Amino acid sequence: MAFLLFCFIFFPVVAQPQPTSFIFNGFNTSESKLTLDGASTISRPSGALKLTNKSSYTIGHAFYSEPIQILMDNSSSSSSFSTTFVLVIVPSSSGRGGHGLAFTLSPSKQFPGAAAKHYMGIFSPENDGSPSNYIFAVEFDTVNGYNNAVDSDGNHVGININGMYSNVSRPAYYFIDNTDRTEDMVLESGDPIQAWIEYDGKFVNVTICPLNVSKPSKPLISYAVDLTPFVQETMYVGFSASTGEKSSSHFILGWSFSTNGTAPPLDVSELPMAPSKEKVGSSPDRRVIGLIAALSTVTVLLLGILFYFTLYKRNIWFENLEDWELDCPHRFRYKDLYTATKGFNQSEIIGVGGFATVYKGVLPTTGTEVAVKKITQTQTQTQSSIKGVREFVAEIESLGRLRHKNLVYLQGWCKQKNDLLLIYDYIPNGSLHSLLFHHKQSFVLSWEQRFNIIKGIAAGLVYLHEEWELVVVHRDVKSSNVLIDADMNVRLGDFGLARLYDHGTDWHTTNVVGTIGYIAPELARNGKASTSSDVFAYGVLLLEIVSGRKPVDSRSFFLVDWVIECHQMGRVLDAIDPKLDSGYVVEEVKLVLLLGLLCCHPKPGIRPSMRKIVRYLNGDEHLPSIDNWESFDSRDGIYSMFLGTISSRSITKSYPTSSSIGGILDPRFRLISTH
Ligand SMILES: *[C@@H]1O[C@H](CO)[C@@H](O)[C@H](O)[C@H]1NC(C)=O
Ligand SMILES: *[C@@H]1O[C@H](CO)[C@@H](O)[C@H](O)[C@H]1NC(C)=O
Ligand SMILES: *[C@@H]1O[C@H](CO)[C@@H](O)[C@H](O)[C@H]1NC(C)=O
Ligand SMILES: *[C@@H]1O[C@H](CO)[C@@H](O)[C@H](O)[C@H]1NC(C)=O
Ligand SMILES: *[C@@H]1O[C@H](CO)[C@@H](O)[C@H](O)[C@H]1NC(C)=O
Ligand SMILES: *[C@@H]1O[C@H](CO)[C@@H](O)[C@H](O)[C@H]1NC(C)=O
Ligand SMILES: *[C@@H]1O[C@H](CO)[C@@H](O)[C@H](O)[C@H]1NC(C)=O
């Protein structure tokens, strides 16, 4: 009787596809459930799954041994899966690591011919992109270069279907508590990172965050896709990792997976410890260790003596901190910055302008790349009261809390004698200015890229003007402050800091700050920066991006006047950058040019708000027609008119011509020196 009942209850269940669910809190006892190949092993005693060691050009795979029913039968609503895992990437000690690891759904556990490097050990140059692969992968990649010849810092997460071209990819970051604020992450930091990949039949969502942060409610990637055509009915699920010339150890500390609702949560307390950065890798011969240790001791002693005589004497280790400086969370130690920039070495300079020099550096504490802006005050400025500096620092402390994916994050500051140092995220591709004007002849920003850049800057400015707790006026919107990251995303830099350039004179009066060519007429007259003077500068920037011409080229060319002229002759499209050839969308170009002109309207009241601008750019609202063009005085040109005012007034005062380093790169100095 009991047997019959048993059959009756269980028979129909067996006929249905079985959902799968498993969890590995560490891999101590899971070797039998996984198929490992290549460099993959389970590290003992920790129990972490190690996909690759630090050897170059290695591949490691680890797949769940059993095939998994991914497409459910036709009657069930839709197929879905959910997985979460904790990954750790430890770069090889010699320089930056590579390449990355990928969570993979594949019809087979074998990948014959699969290549290392960018191919992640799942694709080969022969089958890359082929629809017969039926491979779905989420890559955690630390090196760029699949699409461009040169490897560069990657640090991104992407979704790949059947090939190494990512259908969607994002730099690594996560959203902070359901806001638009983001926190960047370094995949190869060596710290554990938890990732979630969820597919509900409509979206693939990918979320990452550090292990000690709870799961962000907004995913990093939410990609609308129906995977049905791209997968087979049963698939193997697991991980693949590879290294190239650059290499890292790739670890998975824990993993759960389910085709039956949400993947079971990992028990963080049971996970293996994160492999420490030193312990990982080959363990050399004891004699070699001994020799190295002895040599190191001698070297350290010698260096110590050397340092004592050079640095200590020059008073570098001692930062004379004042009380108020002690409780500023964003204060960096000068020592660290000094090490990071190899002692502010000439070779590390990545930019010079105004009173500041920008160095690239690698922080010794975390190994992250930063840009360090060193602002040297002149003798007269040093006389400014300590109160001014303190106020300024308070301002930076609050700017340090600004987080948006289109802003360069100001990590902190440091004061050392006459120098003020600001520490920013390092953005690899350089500035929009250099991409537009100084870049290799062969490289032309496409219209699509330009339009994305235009939208990205707008998103950053909306955040500054309207979305943050305080209104932040940027004050120096210009192409050289628009940085472009490796994925061609926009990061707006230097916000709110332009007033820094005129400190020393008087902290309370705002002299005109900004850059000639971007300064709104009313700002030149009354010196009051406002959100609408930012909008003006943004307008000039729009014209600059479309036309590929600088706002002011010489004393007689003024971009805004020129575009107005083109518009009045009914030939506004004449203003398009000839380098674009015919590769643009006429409606979008027209929209941007007219919007640029509207933003440059001499009457601040007529300029739209940044939020309105975003609506225009997205096509949510139509651009109003500007009827009173008469107020743009075409005979003299609005620029030619107020430029005289500026150069005879405060600019010369706030930007001394003595600053010769600024004169080379910064257009405003060129104007002044001809004055
Ligand atoms: C790394 O893995 C490869 C492939 O299994 C192996 O040949 C090599 O010896 C390993 N290297 C180290 C340093 O463990
Ligand atoms: C789903 O339906 C199609 C046709 O409607 C049929 O060919 C296929 O075998 C069905 N698949 C399953 C798993 O039942
Ligand atoms: C993903 O990108 C590849 C390569 O461009 C393309 O063939 C494929 O159709 C894309 N898949 C989806 C779902 O968009
Ligand atoms: C993915 O994110 C979108 C929002 O971006 C949400 O609507 C959807 O329910 C999410 N899907 C899953 C499987 O988490
Ligand atoms: C998480 O850990 C990192 C370092 O391991 C630490 O800097 C950070 O403050 C921690 N975050 C939280 C929210 O505990
Ligand atoms: C699927 O999930 C449901 C509810 O969470 C549970 O009752 C059921 O036993 C699960 N099925 C399998 C096969 O794990
Ligand atoms: C794995 O086993 C080792 C001993 O073999 C033990 O020290 C370690 O704590 C175990 N790890 C976990 C996560 O249980």
Side-chain angles (χ1 to χ4, degrees):
M1 183 61 204
F3 177 70
L4 280 181
L5 196 63
F6 179 84
C7 290
F8 181 72
I9 293 173
F10 281 87
F11 183 71
V13 178
V14 173
Q16 299 284 328
Q18 279 290 337
T20 310
S21 191
F22 58 78
I23 178 164
F24 300 123
N25 284 308
F27 296 87
N28 253 1
T29 55
S30 353
E31 201 151 5
S32 60
K33 297 190 184 116
L34 297 175
T35 307
L36 306 181
D37 75 25
S40 290
T41 57
I42 294 187
S43 302
R44 306 286 178 195
S46 70
L49 170 60
K50 181 172 173 182
L51 293 166
T52 68
N53 56 34
K54 287 176 182 168
S55 305
S56 299
Y57 299 101
T58 52
I59 295 178
H61 297 132
F63 279 77
Y64 189 65
S65 298
E66 303 293 322
I68 288 171
Q69 180 100 27
I70 288 291
L71 296 184
M72 294 299 157
D73 69 345
N74 297 348
S75 57
S76 70
S77 54
S78 69
S79 312
S80 66
F81 65 83
S82 158
T83 185
T84 178
F85 49 91
V86 175
L87 62 106
V88 178
I89 303 180
V90 185
S92 58
S93 46
S94 57
R96 326 249 322 136
H99 268 77
L101 69 87
F103 170 81
T104 310
L105 289 181
S106 157
S108 161
K109 291 182 276 186
Q110 263 83 47
F111 299 83
K117 266 191 97 180
H118 306 292
Y119 295 99
M120 299 265 177
I122 38 184
F123 299 109
S124 66
E126 288 74 39
N127 72 6
D128 185 18
S130 159
S132 59
N133 289 337
Y134 294 105
I135 290 176
F136 166 86
V138 177
E139 60 170 24
F140 298 81
D141 199 352
T142 58
V143 182
N144 266 335
Y146 172 67
N147 285 321
N148 22 332
V150 194
D151 285 356
S152 60
D153 182 17
N155 200 43
H156 64 272
V157 179
I159 293 180
N160 296 14
I161 296 173
N162 287 333
M164 285 327 295
Y165 171 86
S166 296
N167 291 68
V168 52
S169 116
R170 297 262 186 289
Y173 60 80
Y174 63 95
F175 287 95
I176 303 168
D177 5 283
N178 212 9
T179 61
D180 271 340
R181 287 181 299 136
T182 61
E183 177 83 40
D184 288 342
M185 296 185 67
V186 178
L187 293 176
E188 56 176 19
S189 61
D191 294 326
I193 293 172
Q194 185 161 14
W196 292 262
I197 299 168
E198 290 151 319
Y199 171 63
D200 57 5
K202 298 188 187 73
F203 285 96
V204 176
N205 290 354
V206 183
T207 314
I208 55 171
C209 72
L211 188 54
N212 59 358
V213 171
S214 55
K215 184 186 175 189
S217 44
K218 268 198 214 175
L220 169 66
I221 297 178
S222 186
Y223 179 52
V225 64
D226 177 6
L227 290 179
T228 320
F230 306 112
V231 294
Q232 293 188 342
E233 198 169 317
T234 59
M235 300 282 273
Y236 289 93
V237 50
F239 300 92
S240 178
S242 71
T243 64
E245 208 164 301
K246 301 176 175 180
S247 67
S248 301
S249 295
H250 296 90
F251 294 90
I252 304 289
L253 304 187
W255 176 30
S256 78
F257 180 92
S258 173
T259 53
N260 182 30
T262 309
L266 298 172
D267 183 344
V268 173
S269 65
E270 275 189 38
L271 298 183
M273 294 288 282
S276 83
K277 292 169 202 186
E278 299 78 30
K279 267 191 301 188
V280 183
S282 58
S283 51
D285 193 288
R286 275 172 174 277
R287 278 169 308 170
V288 179
I289 297 182
L291 193 63
I292 293 176
L295 281 176
S296 314
T297 318
V298 174
T299 319
V300 166
L301 277 176
L302 284 176
L303 279 181
I305 295 169
L306 203 73
F307 264 72
Y308 180 85
F309 279 104
T310 54
L311 301 182
Y312 175 78
K313 290 242 159 157
R314 281 163 55 191
N315 221 356
I316 273 182
W317 289 152
F318 292 106
E319 295 172 61
N320 296 314
L321 295 185
E322 284 149 54
D323 290 344
W324 61 267
E325 285 186 72
L326 290 173
D327 43 51
C328 294
H330 291 91
R331 190 178 62 80
F332 277 64
R333 290 190 305 175
Y334 185 74
K335 197 168 72 174
D336 291 342
L337 300 177
Y338 190 88
T339 318
T341 56
K342 306 189 180 147
F344 297 99
N345 199 313
Q346 290 280 330
S347 66
E348 307 301 300
I349 293 181
I350 51 174
V352 184
F355 295 106
T357 311
V358 185
Y359 298 86
K360 182 183 173 179
V362 179
L363 287 179
T365 42
T366 56
T368 43
E369 286 182 322
V370 289
V372 180
K373 184 166 194 167
K374 184 176 182 195
I375 299 151
T376 304
Q377 293 162 292
T378 60
Q379 208 55 47
T380 50
Q381 287 168 331
T382 319
Q383 292 161 2
S384 70
S385 69
I386 196 68
K387 183 161 161 282
V389 176
R390 193 170 165 174
E391 264 171 24
F392 180 71
V393 162
E395 210 163 302
I396 300 178
E397 284 288 330
S398 81
L399 292 176
R401 287 186 289 117
L402 285 166
R403 288 295 169 94
H404 187 272
K405 65 181 191 314
N406 294 116
L407 296 180
V408 178
Y409 175 48
L410 173 61
Q411 299 193 3
W413 61 279
C414 170
K415 181 172 76 71
Q416 171 80 358
K417 294 202 180 151
N418 296 344
D419 296 341
L420 187 58
L421 299 124
L422 300 176
I423 298 92
Y424 291 95
D425 283 354
Y426 173 71
I427 313 290
N429 260 5
S431 75
L432 175 61
H433 186 83
S434 67
L435 287 182
L436 282 175
F437 303 113
H438 296 307
H439 219 271
K440 296 182 284 284
Q441 284 300 313
S442 57
F443 178 85
V444 176
L445 274 175
S446 72
W447 172 248
E448 195 191 347
Q449 287 169 329
R450 293 185 202 210
F451 200 47
N452 276 335
I453 289 171
I454 285 168
K455 287 179 171 172
I457 305 168
L461 284 172
V462 171
Y463 176 74
L464 289 177
H465 286 181
E466 299 180 32
E467 288 172 357
W468 198 52
E469 54 206 67
L470 300 170
V471 175
V472 178
V473 177
H474 187 296
R475 293 158 177 263
D476 205 7
V477 175
K478 60 175 170 179
S479 55
S480 49
N481 277 338
V482 174
L483 304 182
I484 309 290
D485 74 13
D487 294 321
M488 298 305 283
N489 296 316
V490 170
R491 309 281 295 266
L492 189 57
D494 258 8
F495 35 86
L497 295 181
R499 80 160 61 172
L500 181 64
Y501 292 113
D502 71 343
H503 69 189
T505 41
D506 181 352
W507 284 80
H508 297 282
T509 64
T510 20
N511 279 339
V512 175
V513 288
T515 302
I516 282 187
Y518 298 93
I519 299 175
E522 78 281 2
L523 176 59
R525 277 195 301 273
N526 62 19
K528 283 207 184 93
S530 64
T531 52
S532 53
S533 57
D534 274 359
V535 168
F536 182 94
Y538 177 75
V540 176
L541 191 52
L542 291 187
L543 303 183
E544 185 178 350
I545 295 172
V546 178
S547 67
R549 302 190 66 160
K550 295 178 186 169
V552 280
D553 247 359
S554 63
R555 265 204 173 270
S556 54
F557 178 82
F558 302 104
L559 180 59
V560 178
D561 291 345
W562 179 64
V563 178
I564 291 172
E565 244 175 79
C566 293
H567 177 70
Q568 284 173 337
M569 291 189 303
R571 301 169 45 159
V572 74
L573 291 180
D574 282 2
I576 298 173
D577 187 349
K579 277 188 278 177
L580 277 173
D581 216 3
S582 55
Y584 54 84
V585 184
V586 175
E587 288 73 37
E588 287 175 358
V589 168
K590 263 195 175 154
L591 168 72
V592 173
L593 283 171
L594 293 181
L595 179 59
L597 289 181
L598 184 63
C599 293
C600 294
H601 200 282
K603 294 209 179 98
I606 294 179
R607 294 174 209 149
S609 69
M610 282 315 302
R611 188 173 293 284
K612 262 270 159 65
I613 289 173
V614 169
R615 292 183 57 81
Y616 295 143
L617 287 173
N618 290 337
D620 298 337
E621 209 169 311
H622 285 296
L623 200 63
S625 61
I626 317 170
D627 27 28
N628 51 344
W629 284 101
E630 305 77 56
S631 47
F632 287 91
D633 187 332
S634 64
R635 218 169 5 94
D636 295 323
I638 52 168
Y639 264 105
S640 348
M641 272 173 48
F642 75 83
L643 200 64
T645 338
I646 299 171
S647 43
S648 60
R649 284 178 65 202
S650 27
I651 291 274
T652 36
K653 205 167 75 197
S654 23
Y655 305 110
T657 46
S658 63
S659 175
S660 56
I661 42 167
I664 305 164
L665 290 181
D666 204 328
R668 63 190 173 209
F669 286 101
R670 223 176 301 139
L671 282 169
I672 289 157
S673 48
T674 59
H675 175 69

